[in-house]
Amino acid sequence: LAQVCEWAAAMEWACLKCTLQNGDTRHTCAGCHTQRPTDAPSESASANSCPICCEEASERHYFPCTHWVCPTCSDRCVKCPFCRWSMTGTVRSGWIMKQSRHLKKWRRRWMVLKGECLETFPTQDTAKTTEHWKMSTVEAKPGDNDTDFVIRGRSTSHWIRCTGPSEREAWMTAIWATRAAIP
């Protein structure tokens, strides 16, 4: 089961059934009396059980924050029920090295992953992109070493180099989770 943010229990929570916002001390929804999502799995829950409904999940739907729920619960969520991460806004951003298409030179770029797109910029405060991919068409694959990965769009592939293996893993996980959250 995905680990639930420790601070999520101290926040308001939205009912997955009726979407009513409930205070942090309520254990059931004030509107429809549905049980509050919990971070503690039941005794009978397996590693493949949805953390919301505790049903066996043959498929997982990930949020950009990397928490997951079953497809049925996912259809009812606008935000992650655990950490309240919205499906819109910036998911991840940071400096990477991107190999140029034609000259194959490595260039430092500011990369931004949003709910609907992945973009690179020459600097952190520049509005003009150097690359723009729609998340519905993006695929991320590990590269030849532990710091590189490939972004494949509809017609292009781009090599991305991160500062280390953990940075590469964080980018790839965020891209996979964002891609999986797109209907």
Side-chain angles (χ1 to χ4, degrees), residues 99 106 140-152 158-162 168 172:
Q99 192 177 48
W106 289 97
K141 300 279 185 185
D144 299 332
N145 61 48
D146 61 356
T147 60
D148 293 356
F149 67 96
V150 180
I151 296 175
R152 291 194 176 108
H158 294 277
W159 283 91
I160 304 295
R161 180 164 289 158
C162 300
R168 179 188 84 161
M172 288 182 61

Side-chain angles (χ1 to χ4, degrees), residues 1 40-50 53-56:
L1 289 172
S42 67
E43 294 296 320
S44 61
S46 73
N48 291 327
S49 295
C50 173
C53 67
C54 295
E55 295 292 322
E56 198 68 21

Side-chain angles (χ1 to χ4, degrees), residues 12-57:
E12 281 192 349
W13 60 279
C15 175
L16 292 174
K17 187 173 180 182
C18 69
T19 68
L20 180 71
Q21 291 288 338
N22 290 280
D24 63 327
T25 59
R26 293 196 61 88
H27 297 288
T28 58
C29 177
C32 67
H33 305 293
T34 300
Q35 194 72 16
R36 177 184 184 169
T38 178
D39 60 345
S42 67
E43 294 296 320
S44 61
S46 73
N48 291 327
S49 295
C50 173
I52 301 294
C53 67
C54 295
E55 295 292 322
E56 198 68 21

Side-chain angles (χ1 to χ4, degrees), residues 65-85:
C65 57
T66 71
H67 290 124
W68 69 271
V69 296
C70 71
T72 305
C73 292
S74 174
D75 291 342
R76 299 184 225 153
C77 296
V78 180
K79 294 183 177 183
C80 174
F82 303 106
C83 66
R84 310 287 297 145
W85 188 285

